[in-house]
Amino acid sequence: MTRRKLIALPIAAIAIGASAFGISAMEANNRELHDLSVIGQGRPVIVQIHDPSCPTCRRLKSVVTNTIKSEPSVQYRLADITTTEGKALQTKYSVPTITLLYFDERGKHVHTARGLQSSGDVQLAIEQIL
């Protein structure tokens, strides 16, 4: 084996390991983001009725995730309408996509916001929940 190949082998192994770790962490975060079982478990929750193919839904997700960073007591979840659980939640509350459902710490639905929201809108709703 040439010296070049001997050097390249550990570098390739590190790159593969880092990629696998990154993918694993992303999958874990994605599972957590879609876990609706946290509703009513002691912390307020914002649930976005979300269609992953909808550009406006993705923009709303970005607004909420950036806003929620300053509110560690509030959890954020996605109800993906392409899943059984997400579609069931959408149907239960009879809301379209691009909707935020706000739940208090006991799981009581306390507010609905339809359409693309600004960071200020989300922050105001959070303050009203808390």
Side-chain angles (χ1 to χ4, degrees), residues 96-108:
T97 56
I98 318 169
T99 297
L100 298 176
L101 300 173
Y102 293 79
F103 297 90
D104 68 11
E105 65 279 353
R106 294 178 315 278
K108 179 182 176 196

Side-chain angles (χ1 to χ4, degrees), residues 2-82:
T2 67
R3 179 182 160 141
R4 180 177 278 164
K5 287 182 181 178
L6 285 174
I7 292 171
L9 195 58
I11 292 171
I14 290 170
I16 291 169
S19 295
F21 176 76
I23 290 169
S24 176
M26 190 169 63
E27 286 178 6
N29 184 45
N30 196 35
R31 276 192 305 275
E32 179 179 313
L33 192 57
H34 290 84
D35 178 14
L36 301 177
S37 70
V38 300
I39 298 171
Q41 299 298 315
R43 288 174 59 191
V45 182
I46 301 171
V47 178
Q48 178 180 339
I49 305 299
H50 181 74
D51 179 350
S53 67
C54 165
T56 307
C57 292
R58 291 192 302 267
R59 283 186 26 219
L60 180 57
K61 178 183 173 188
S62 179
V63 168
V64 177
T65 55
N66 287 330
T67 304
I68 204 88
K69 288 177 185 175
S70 64
E71 295 292 343
S73 63
V74 178
Q75 293 183 309
Y76 172 63
R77 295 294 188 263
L78 292 177
D80 184 339
I81 64 164
T82 65

